[in-house]
Amino acid sequence: RSSDLRAFARMESPEVSRHLFTIGIMTSGGDSQGMNAAIRAAVRWSILMKYRVYLIKNGWSGVVRGGDSFIPCTWHTVSLY
């Protein structure tokens, strides 16, 4: 199973047509223990489920503003390395 995940992590951007859902992930901006790990897990699980994932900068104002506040997210976007 870990070899499957490593192979998946090396994949380039998947075709847009295969995505079933699109989700956005944002936080309130305050420091919170464990949030990085929680966001990383949510992003990676969503990618494995073939969702298109965006990180949203600047909280609700970023949602309203749109545009460059939405960052397309890949497996490596949330990498530790």
Side-chain angles (χ1 to χ4, degrees), residues 6-70:
R6 282 192 295 259
F8 184 81
R10 287 191 300 271
M11 289 176 53
E12 294 299 317
S13 298
E15 295 178 22
V16 174
S17 62
R18 75 178 208 160
H19 295 293
L20 300 174
F21 298 99
T22 301
I23 65 168
I25 298 176
M26 70 175 188
T27 64
S28 61
D31 291 336
S32 178
Q33 187 175 11
M35 271 314 279
N36 289 342
I39 291 171
R40 183 173 48 252
V43 166
R44 290 188 170 176
W45 179 256
S46 299
I47 290 171
L48 286 173
M49 295 291 104
K50 300 186 185 338
Y51 294 0
R52 187 179 324 163
V53 183
Y54 290 92
L55 300 177
I56 303 170
K57 297 190 300 187
N58 303 318
W60 284 110
S61 64
V63 172
V64 172
R65 197 171 31 238
D68 63 346
S69 295
F70 287 68

Short mmCIF file of all heavy atoms in Angstrom, two decimals, residues 6-70:
data_model
loop_
_atom_site.label_atom_id
_atom_site.label_comp_id
_atom_site.label_asym_id
_atom_site.label_seq_id
_atom_site.Cartn_x
_atom_site.Cartn_y
_atom_site.Cartn_z
N ARG A 6 3.29 6.18 -2.76
CA ARG A 6 4.48 6.83 -3.31
C ARG A 6 4.31 7.04 -4.81
O ARG A 6 4.68 8.08 -5.34
CB ARG A 6 5.73 6.01 -3.00
CG ARG A 6 6.22 6.18 -1.58
CD ARG A 6 7.60 5.59 -1.44
NE ARG A 6 7.55 4.14 -1.66
CZ ARG A 6 7.56 3.24 -0.70
NH1 ARG A 6 7.64 3.62 0.55
NH2 ARG A 6 7.51 1.95 -0.98
N ALA A 7 3.76 6.06 -5.50
CA ALA A 7 3.53 6.20 -6.94
C ALA A 7 2.52 7.30 -7.21
O ALA A 7 2.68 8.08 -8.14
CB ALA A 7 3.05 4.87 -7.52
N PHE A 8 1.48 7.37 -6.39
CA PHE A 8 0.46 8.41 -6.56
C PHE A 8 1.05 9.79 -6.33
O PHE A 8 0.74 10.75 -7.03
CB PHE A 8 -0.70 8.17 -5.61
CG PHE A 8 -1.82 9.15 -5.80
CD1 PHE A 8 -2.74 8.97 -6.80
CD2 PHE A 8 -1.93 10.26 -4.99
CE1 PHE A 8 -3.77 9.88 -6.99
CE2 PHE A 8 -2.94 11.18 -5.17
CZ PHE A 8 -3.86 10.98 -6.18
N ALA A 9 1.93 9.91 -5.34
CA ALA A 9 2.53 11.20 -5.01
C ALA A 9 3.39 11.73 -6.15
O ALA A 9 3.56 12.93 -6.29
CB ALA A 9 3.35 11.09 -3.73
N ARG A 10 3.94 10.85 -6.98
CA ARG A 10 4.78 11.27 -8.10
C ARG A 10 3.97 11.70 -9.31
O ARG A 10 4.52 12.26 -10.26
CB ARG A 10 5.72 10.14 -8.50
CG ARG A 10 6.84 9.91 -7.52
CD ARG A 10 7.87 8.96 -8.11
NE ARG A 10 7.30 7.66 -8.44
CZ ARG A 10 7.24 6.62 -7.60
NH1 ARG A 10 7.69 6.76 -6.38
NH2 ARG A 10 6.72 5.48 -7.99
N MET A 11 2.68 11.46 -9.30
CA MET A 11 1.85 11.80 -10.45
C MET A 11 1.80 13.30 -10.66
O MET A 11 1.82 14.07 -9.72
CB MET A 11 0.41 11.29 -10.26
CG MET A 11 0.28 9.80 -10.34
SD MET A 11 -1.39 9.24 -9.99
CE MET A 11 -2.36 10.19 -11.11
N GLU A 12 1.72 13.69 -11.90
CA GLU A 12 1.52 15.10 -12.23
C GLU A 12 0.04 15.43 -12.05
O GLU A 12 -0.76 14.57 -11.69
CB GLU A 12 1.96 15.36 -13.67
CG GLU A 12 3.45 15.17 -13.87
CD GLU A 12 4.28 16.12 -13.02
OE1 GLU A 12 3.94 17.30 -12.93
OE2 GLU A 12 5.28 15.66 -12.45
N SER A 13 -0.33 16.65 -12.33
CA SER A 13 -1.71 17.07 -12.18
C SER A 13 -2.64 16.16 -12.97
O SER A 13 -2.44 15.96 -14.16
CB SER A 13 -1.90 18.51 -12.67
OG SER A 13 -1.12 19.36 -11.90
N PRO A 14 -3.66 15.62 -12.32
CA PRO A 14 -4.59 14.74 -13.03
C PRO A 14 -5.49 15.53 -13.96
O PRO A 14 -5.60 16.75 -13.86
CB PRO A 14 -5.40 14.11 -11.90
CG PRO A 14 -5.27 15.05 -10.76
CD PRO A 14 -3.96 15.75 -10.92
N GLU A 15 -6.13 14.85 -14.89
CA GLU A 15 -7.05 15.51 -15.80
C GLU A 15 -8.23 16.08 -15.03
O GLU A 15 -8.74 15.47 -14.11
CB GLU A 15 -7.58 14.50 -16.82
CG GLU A 15 -6.52 13.94 -17.74
CD GLU A 15 -7.11 12.92 -18.69
OE1 GLU A 15 -8.34 12.97 -18.93
OE2 GLU A 15 -6.36 12.09 -19.16
N VAL A 16 -8.65 17.25 -15.41
CA VAL A 16 -9.73 17.93 -14.72
C VAL A 16 -11.02 17.13 -14.81
O VAL A 16 -11.80 17.07 -13.87
CB VAL A 16 -9.92 19.35 -15.29
CG1 VAL A 16 -11.14 20.02 -14.69
CG2 VAL A 16 -8.68 20.18 -15.06
N SER A 17 -11.26 16.46 -15.91
CA SER A 17 -12.53 15.77 -16.14
C SER A 17 -12.78 14.62 -15.17
O SER A 17 -13.90 14.19 -15.01
CB SER A 17 -12.60 15.26 -17.57
OG SER A 17 -11.57 14.32 -17.80
N ARG A 18 -11.76 14.12 -14.51
CA ARG A 18 -11.96 12.97 -13.63
C ARG A 18 -12.36 13.38 -12.21
O ARG A 18 -12.63 12.55 -11.38
CB ARG A 18 -10.74 12.07 -13.61
CG ARG A 18 -9.59 12.60 -12.83
CD ARG A 18 -8.46 11.62 -12.84
NE ARG A 18 -7.71 11.82 -11.63
CZ ARG A 18 -6.90 10.95 -11.10
NH1 ARG A 18 -6.72 9.80 -11.68
NH2 ARG A 18 -6.26 11.21 -10.00
N HIS A 19 -12.36 14.67 -11.91
CA HIS A 19 -12.72 15.14 -10.57
C HIS A 19 -14.23 15.12 -10.40
O HIS A 19 -14.97 15.65 -11.22
CB HIS A 19 -12.20 16.55 -10.33
CG HIS A 19 -10.71 16.63 -10.31
ND1 HIS A 19 -9.95 16.05 -9.33
CD2 HIS A 19 -9.84 17.19 -11.17
CE1 HIS A 19 -8.68 16.28 -9.58
NE2 HIS A 19 -8.59 16.96 -10.70
N LEU A 20 -14.67 14.53 -9.32
CA LEU A 20 -16.10 14.46 -9.03
C LEU A 20 -16.57 15.67 -8.23
O LEU A 20 -17.68 16.14 -8.41
CB LEU A 20 -16.41 13.18 -8.26
CG LEU A 20 -16.07 11.89 -8.97
CD1 LEU A 20 -16.30 10.71 -8.04
CD2 LEU A 20 -16.89 11.74 -10.23
N PHE A 21 -15.72 16.14 -7.33
CA PHE A 21 -16.08 17.24 -6.44
C PHE A 21 -14.92 18.22 -6.34
O PHE A 21 -13.78 17.86 -6.58
CB PHE A 21 -16.38 16.73 -5.03
CG PHE A 21 -17.53 15.78 -4.96
CD1 PHE A 21 -17.31 14.42 -4.91
CD2 PHE A 21 -18.82 16.25 -4.95
CE1 PHE A 21 -18.37 13.53 -4.85
CE2 PHE A 21 -19.89 15.38 -4.88
CZ PHE A 21 -19.66 14.02 -4.83
N THR A 22 -15.24 19.44 -5.97
CA THR A 22 -14.23 20.45 -5.67
C THR A 22 -14.49 20.94 -4.26
O THR A 22 -15.63 21.25 -3.91
CB THR A 22 -14.33 21.63 -6.66
OG1 THR A 22 -14.14 21.14 -7.98
CG2 THR A 22 -13.29 22.68 -6.35
N ILE A 23 -13.43 20.99 -3.46
CA ILE A 23 -13.58 21.50 -2.10
C ILE A 23 -12.56 22.60 -1.85
O ILE A 23 -11.51 22.65 -2.51
CB ILE A 23 -13.43 20.40 -1.03
CG1 ILE A 23 -12.02 19.82 -1.01
CG2 ILE A 23 -14.45 19.31 -1.22
CD1 ILE A 23 -11.75 18.96 0.20
N GLY A 24 -12.87 23.48 -0.94
CA GLY A 24 -11.96 24.53 -0.51
C GLY A 24 -11.69 24.36 0.96
O GLY A 24 -12.59 24.06 1.74
N ILE A 25 -10.44 24.56 1.36
CA ILE A 25 -10.05 24.43 2.76
C ILE A 25 -9.50 25.77 3.22
O ILE A 25 -8.60 26.33 2.59
CB ILE A 25 -9.00 23.33 2.95
CG1 ILE A 25 -9.58 21.97 2.54
CG2 ILE A 25 -8.51 23.30 4.40
CD1 ILE A 25 -8.60 20.83 2.59
N MET A 26 -10.05 26.28 4.31
CA MET A 26 -9.56 27.53 4.88
C MET A 26 -9.55 27.41 6.39
O MET A 26 -10.22 26.55 6.97
CB MET A 26 -10.42 28.71 4.45
CG MET A 26 -11.78 28.73 5.04
SD MET A 26 -12.64 30.22 4.57
CE MET A 26 -14.09 30.06 5.58
N THR A 27 -8.78 28.27 7.03
CA THR A 27 -8.77 28.35 8.49
C THR A 27 -9.02 29.79 8.90
O THR A 27 -9.00 30.70 8.07
CB THR A 27 -7.43 27.88 9.08
OG1 THR A 27 -6.40 28.78 8.65
CG2 THR A 27 -7.10 26.47 8.64
N SER A 28 -9.21 29.99 10.17
CA SER A 28 -9.48 31.35 10.66
C SER A 28 -8.21 32.17 10.78
O SER A 28 -8.27 33.38 10.97
CB SER A 28 -10.17 31.28 12.02
OG SER A 28 -9.32 30.63 12.96
N GLY A 29 -7.05 31.52 10.68
CA GLY A 29 -5.80 32.26 10.71
C GLY A 29 -5.08 32.25 12.03
O GLY A 29 -3.91 32.59 12.10
N GLY A 30 -5.74 31.85 13.10
CA GLY A 30 -5.08 31.79 14.40
C GLY A 30 -4.23 30.55 14.54
O GLY A 30 -4.43 29.55 13.85
N ASP A 31 -3.25 30.60 15.44
CA ASP A 31 -2.42 29.43 15.70
C ASP A 31 -3.22 28.38 16.45
O ASP A 31 -3.98 28.69 17.36
CB ASP A 31 -1.20 29.82 16.53
CG ASP A 31 -0.23 30.68 15.77
OD1 ASP A 31 -0.25 30.60 14.54
OD2 ASP A 31 0.54 31.42 16.41
N SER A 32 -3.05 27.15 16.04
CA SER A 32 -3.75 26.05 16.69
C SER A 32 -2.91 24.79 16.53
O SER A 32 -2.55 24.42 15.41
CB SER A 32 -5.12 25.85 16.06
OG SER A 32 -5.78 24.76 16.66
N GLN A 33 -2.61 24.17 17.65
CA GLN A 33 -1.79 22.97 17.63
C GLN A 33 -2.47 21.87 16.82
O GLN A 33 -3.64 21.56 17.01
CB GLN A 33 -1.57 22.50 19.06
CG GLN A 33 -0.61 21.37 19.19
CD GLN A 33 -0.34 21.03 20.64
OE1 GLN A 33 -1.01 21.51 21.52
NE2 GLN A 33 0.65 20.21 20.86
N GLY A 34 -1.74 21.29 15.88
CA GLY A 34 -2.25 20.18 15.10
C GLY A 34 -2.98 20.56 13.83
O GLY A 34 -3.37 19.68 13.06
N MET A 35 -3.19 21.85 13.55
CA MET A 35 -3.93 22.24 12.35
C MET A 35 -3.19 21.88 11.07
O MET A 35 -3.81 21.48 10.08
CB MET A 35 -4.23 23.74 12.34
CG MET A 35 -5.54 24.11 13.01
SD MET A 35 -6.93 23.09 12.53
CE MET A 35 -7.41 23.81 11.00
N ASN A 36 -1.87 22.03 11.05
CA ASN A 36 -1.12 21.68 9.84
C ASN A 36 -1.32 20.22 9.49
O ASN A 36 -1.55 19.89 8.33
CB ASN A 36 0.37 21.98 10.01
CG ASN A 36 0.66 23.46 10.03
OD1 ASN A 36 -0.15 24.26 9.59
ND2 ASN A 36 1.82 23.83 10.53
N ALA A 37 -1.25 19.36 10.48
CA ALA A 37 -1.44 17.92 10.24
C ALA A 37 -2.87 17.63 9.80
O ALA A 37 -3.10 16.80 8.91
CB ALA A 37 -1.10 17.13 11.49
N ALA A 38 -3.83 18.32 10.38
CA ALA A 38 -5.23 18.10 10.01
C ALA A 38 -5.50 18.56 8.57
O ALA A 38 -6.18 17.86 7.81
CB ALA A 38 -6.16 18.84 10.98
N ILE A 39 -4.95 19.69 8.20
CA ILE A 39 -5.13 20.18 6.83
C ILE A 39 -4.43 19.26 5.84
O ILE A 39 -4.99 18.92 4.80
CB ILE A 39 -4.62 21.63 6.70
CG1 ILE A 39 -5.55 22.57 7.48
CG2 ILE A 39 -4.52 22.06 5.24
CD1 ILE A 39 -5.04 23.97 7.60
N ARG A 40 -3.22 18.84 6.18
CA ARG A 40 -2.49 17.93 5.30
C ARG A 40 -3.27 16.63 5.10
O ARG A 40 -3.43 16.14 3.98
CB ARG A 40 -1.10 17.63 5.87
CG ARG A 40 -0.25 16.75 4.99
CD ARG A 40 1.19 16.60 5.48
NE ARG A 40 1.29 16.29 6.89
CZ ARG A 40 1.72 17.14 7.83
NH1 ARG A 40 2.08 18.37 7.51
NH2 ARG A 40 1.79 16.77 9.09
N ALA A 41 -3.82 16.09 6.17
CA ALA A 41 -4.60 14.85 6.07
C ALA A 41 -5.86 15.06 5.23
O ALA A 41 -6.20 14.21 4.40
CB ALA A 41 -4.96 14.35 7.47
N ALA A 42 -6.54 16.18 5.43
CA ALA A 42 -7.76 16.46 4.67
C ALA A 42 -7.45 16.62 3.18
O ALA A 42 -8.16 16.09 2.33
CB ALA A 42 -8.44 17.72 5.20
N VAL A 43 -6.36 17.31 2.86
CA VAL A 43 -5.98 17.51 1.46
C VAL A 43 -5.61 16.18 0.83
O VAL A 43 -6.09 15.83 -0.26
CB VAL A 43 -4.80 18.51 1.35
CG1 VAL A 43 -4.16 18.46 -0.03
CG2 VAL A 43 -5.25 19.91 1.68
N ARG A 44 -4.78 15.41 1.49
CA ARG A 44 -4.32 14.15 0.90
C ARG A 44 -5.46 13.15 0.76
O ARG A 44 -5.53 12.42 -0.24
CB ARG A 44 -3.15 13.60 1.69
CG ARG A 44 -1.93 14.46 1.47
CD ARG A 44 -0.70 13.90 2.04
NE ARG A 44 0.46 14.68 1.58
CZ ARG A 44 1.68 14.46 1.98
NH1 ARG A 44 1.93 13.47 2.83
NH2 ARG A 44 2.66 15.19 1.54
N TRP A 45 -6.34 13.09 1.72
CA TRP A 45 -7.48 12.18 1.61
C TRP A 45 -8.39 12.62 0.45
O TRP A 45 -8.85 11.80 -0.32
CB TRP A 45 -8.28 12.14 2.91
CG TRP A 45 -9.46 11.22 2.80
CD1 TRP A 45 -10.76 11.58 2.67
CD2 TRP A 45 -9.44 9.80 2.77
NE1 TRP A 45 -11.55 10.48 2.57
CE2 TRP A 45 -10.76 9.35 2.63
CE3 TRP A 45 -8.42 8.85 2.86
CZ2 TRP A 45 -11.10 8.02 2.57
CZ3 TRP A 45 -8.77 7.52 2.80
CH2 TRP A 45 -10.09 7.11 2.65
N SER A 46 -8.60 13.91 0.33
CA SER A 46 -9.43 14.43 -0.75
C SER A 46 -8.83 14.11 -2.11
O SER A 46 -9.53 13.75 -3.05
CB SER A 46 -9.61 15.94 -0.60
OG SER A 46 -10.26 16.23 0.62
N ILE A 47 -7.51 14.25 -2.23
CA ILE A 47 -6.84 13.93 -3.49
C ILE A 47 -6.98 12.45 -3.80
O ILE A 47 -7.24 12.07 -4.94
CB ILE A 47 -5.37 14.38 -3.44
CG1 ILE A 47 -5.29 15.90 -3.47
CG2 ILE A 47 -4.58 13.78 -4.61
CD1 ILE A 47 -3.91 16.46 -3.21
N LEU A 48 -6.83 11.60 -2.80
CA LEU A 48 -6.99 10.16 -3.01
C LEU A 48 -8.42 9.82 -3.45
O LEU A 48 -8.63 8.88 -4.21
CB LEU A 48 -6.64 9.38 -1.75
CG LEU A 48 -5.15 9.29 -1.43
CD1 LEU A 48 -4.94 8.65 -0.07
CD2 LEU A 48 -4.41 8.53 -2.51
N MET A 49 -9.39 10.60 -2.99
CA MET A 49 -10.78 10.39 -3.38
C MET A 49 -11.12 11.08 -4.71
O MET A 49 -12.27 11.12 -5.11
CB MET A 49 -11.72 10.92 -2.29
CG MET A 49 -11.62 10.17 -0.98
SD MET A 49 -12.27 8.50 -1.12
CE MET A 49 -10.77 7.54 -1.19
N LYS A 50 -10.08 11.62 -5.35
CA LYS A 50 -10.20 12.27 -6.66
C LYS A 50 -11.00 13.58 -6.62
O LYS A 50 -11.69 13.94 -7.56
CB LYS A 50 -10.78 11.32 -7.70
CG LYS A 50 -9.94 10.07 -7.90
CD LYS A 50 -10.47 9.25 -9.02
CE LYS A 50 -9.79 7.93 -9.23
NZ LYS A 50 -8.49 7.69 -8.78
N TYR A 51 -10.90 14.29 -5.51
CA TYR A 51 -11.50 15.62 -5.41
C TYR A 51 -10.49 16.65 -5.89
O TYR A 51 -9.28 16.46 -5.75
CB TYR A 51 -11.86 15.96 -3.97
CG TYR A 51 -12.94 15.14 -3.34
CD1 TYR A 51 -13.59 14.11 -4.01
CD2 TYR A 51 -13.32 15.38 -2.03
CE1 TYR A 51 -14.57 13.36 -3.41
CE2 TYR A 51 -14.32 14.63 -1.42
CZ TYR A 51 -14.93 13.63 -2.11
OH TYR A 51 -15.90 12.89 -1.51
N ARG A 52 -10.96 17.74 -6.43
CA ARG A 52 -10.12 18.89 -6.73
C ARG A 52 -10.09 19.73 -5.45
O ARG A 52 -11.15 20.04 -4.88
CB ARG A 52 -10.71 19.69 -7.88
CG ARG A 52 -9.81 20.79 -8.35
CD ARG A 52 -10.41 21.55 -9.50
NE ARG A 52 -11.14 20.64 -10.37
CZ ARG A 52 -12.02 21.02 -11.27
NH1 ARG A 52 -12.30 22.29 -11.41
NH2 ARG A 52 -12.64 20.15 -12.03
N VAL A 53 -8.91 20.13 -5.00
CA VAL A 53 -8.76 20.81 -3.71
C VAL A 53 -8.13 22.19 -3.91
O VAL A 53 -7.16 22.33 -4.66
CB VAL A 53 -7.88 19.98 -2.75
CG1 VAL A 53 -7.78 20.66 -1.39
CG2 VAL A 53 -8.40 18.56 -2.60
N TYR A 54 -8.70 23.18 -3.23
CA TYR A 54 -8.13 24.52 -3.22
C TYR A 54 -7.92 24.94 -1.77
O TYR A 54 -8.74 24.67 -0.90
CB TYR A 54 -9.08 25.53 -3.87
CG TYR A 54 -9.19 25.37 -5.36
CD1 TYR A 54 -10.18 24.56 -5.92
CD2 TYR A 54 -8.29 26.01 -6.20
CE1 TYR A 54 -10.27 24.41 -7.29
CE2 TYR A 54 -8.38 25.86 -7.58
CZ TYR A 54 -9.38 25.06 -8.11
OH TYR A 54 -9.47 24.90 -9.46
N LEU A 55 -6.80 25.61 -1.53
CA LEU A 55 -6.57 26.27 -0.25
C LEU A 55 -7.02 27.72 -0.42
O LEU A 55 -6.77 28.34 -1.47
CB LEU A 55 -5.09 26.22 0.13
CG LEU A 55 -4.51 24.82 0.27
CD1 LEU A 55 -3.02 24.89 0.58
CD2 LEU A 55 -5.23 24.02 1.34
N ILE A 56 -7.70 28.25 0.57
CA ILE A 56 -8.25 29.60 0.47
C ILE A 56 -7.53 30.51 1.45
O ILE A 56 -7.53 30.26 2.67
CB ILE A 56 -9.77 29.59 0.77
CG1 ILE A 56 -10.48 28.62 -0.19
CG2 ILE A 56 -10.34 31.00 0.66
CD1 ILE A 56 -11.92 28.36 0.16
N LYS A 57 -6.89 31.54 0.91
CA LYS A 57 -6.16 32.51 1.74
C LYS A 57 -7.13 33.56 2.29
O LYS A 57 -8.13 33.87 1.67
CB LYS A 57 -5.08 33.22 0.93
CG LYS A 57 -4.01 32.32 0.40
CD LYS A 57 -2.85 33.10 -0.19
CE LYS A 57 -3.24 33.98 -1.33
NZ LYS A 57 -2.10 34.61 -2.00
N ASN A 58 -6.80 34.10 3.44
CA ASN A 58 -7.49 35.25 4.03
C ASN A 58 -8.92 34.98 4.48
O ASN A 58 -9.77 35.87 4.47
CB ASN A 58 -7.47 36.45 3.08
CG ASN A 58 -6.06 36.83 2.68
OD1 ASN A 58 -5.16 36.84 3.53
ND2 ASN A 58 -5.84 37.10 1.42
N GLY A 59 -9.22 33.74 4.87
CA GLY A 59 -10.52 33.41 5.45
C GLY A 59 -11.70 33.75 4.56
O GLY A 59 -11.65 33.59 3.35
N TRP A 60 -12.78 34.24 5.19
CA TRP A 60 -14.01 34.52 4.43
C TRP A 60 -13.83 35.64 3.42
O TRP A 60 -14.47 35.65 2.37
CB TRP A 60 -15.17 34.83 5.37
CG TRP A 60 -15.70 33.59 6.02
CD1 TRP A 60 -15.58 33.24 7.33
CD2 TRP A 60 -16.41 32.53 5.38
NE1 TRP A 60 -16.17 32.01 7.53
CE2 TRP A 60 -16.69 31.56 6.35
CE3 TRP A 60 -16.82 32.29 4.07
CZ2 TRP A 60 -17.37 30.39 6.07
CZ3 TRP A 60 -17.50 31.12 3.79
CH2 TRP A 60 -17.77 30.19 4.78
N SER A 61 -12.96 36.61 3.71
CA SER A 61 -12.73 37.66 2.73
C SER A 61 -12.08 37.09 1.47
O SER A 61 -12.34 37.56 0.36
CB SER A 61 -11.89 38.80 3.31
OG SER A 61 -10.59 38.36 3.64
N GLY A 62 -11.26 36.05 1.61
CA GLY A 62 -10.68 35.37 0.46
C GLY A 62 -11.73 34.63 -0.35
O GLY A 62 -11.66 34.57 -1.58
N VAL A 63 -12.73 34.07 0.33
CA VAL A 63 -13.83 33.38 -0.37
C VAL A 63 -14.61 34.39 -1.21
O VAL A 63 -14.92 34.15 -2.37
CB VAL A 63 -14.77 32.67 0.62
CG1 VAL A 63 -16.00 32.14 -0.07
CG2 VAL A 63 -14.03 31.56 1.34
N VAL A 64 -14.90 35.53 -0.61
CA VAL A 64 -15.68 36.56 -1.30
C VAL A 64 -14.88 37.16 -2.45
O VAL A 64 -15.39 37.35 -3.55
CB VAL A 64 -16.12 37.66 -0.31
CG1 VAL A 64 -16.76 38.83 -1.04
CG2 VAL A 64 -17.07 37.09 0.73
N ARG A 65 -13.61 37.42 -2.19
CA ARG A 65 -12.76 38.06 -3.20
C ARG A 65 -12.44 37.10 -4.35
O ARG A 65 -12.38 37.51 -5.50
CB ARG A 65 -11.47 38.55 -2.54
CG ARG A 65 -10.71 39.53 -3.34
CD ARG A 65 -9.55 40.19 -2.59
NE ARG A 65 -8.93 39.33 -1.61
CZ ARG A 65 -8.84 39.64 -0.32
NH1 ARG A 65 -9.31 40.77 0.12
NH2 ARG A 65 -8.26 38.82 0.53
N GLY A 66 -12.22 35.83 -4.04
CA GLY A 66 -11.91 34.83 -5.08
C GLY A 66 -10.58 35.09 -5.74
O GLY A 66 -9.65 35.61 -5.12
N GLY A 67 -10.49 34.76 -7.02
CA GLY A 67 -9.27 35.02 -7.79
C GLY A 67 -8.04 34.36 -7.22
O GLY A 67 -8.00 33.15 -7.04
N ASP A 68 -7.02 35.18 -6.92
CA ASP A 68 -5.75 34.63 -6.45
C ASP A 68 -5.79 34.19 -4.99
O ASP A 68 -4.80 33.72 -4.45
CB ASP A 68 -4.61 35.62 -6.67
CG ASP A 68 -4.78 36.92 -5.88
OD1 ASP A 68 -5.89 37.16 -5.38
OD2 ASP A 68 -3.81 37.68 -5.80
N SER A 69 -6.94 34.33 -4.32
CA SER A 69 -7.09 33.82 -2.96
C SER A 69 -7.27 32.30 -2.95
O SER A 69 -7.13 31.66 -1.92
CB SER A 69 -8.29 34.47 -2.26
OG SER A 69 -8.06 35.84 -2.09
N PHE A 70 -7.61 31.73 -4.11
CA PHE A 70 -7.78 30.28 -4.24
C PHE A 70 -6.51 29.69 -4.83
O PHE A 70 -6.12 30.02 -5.95
CB PHE A 70 -8.96 29.95 -5.16
CG PHE A 70 -10.30 30.22 -4.54
CD1 PHE A 70 -10.71 31.51 -4.27
CD2 PHE A 70 -11.14 29.18 -4.23
CE1 PHE A 70 -11.95 31.76 -3.71
CE2 PHE A 70 -12.38 29.41 -3.68
CZ PHE A 70 -12.79 30.71 -3.40
#
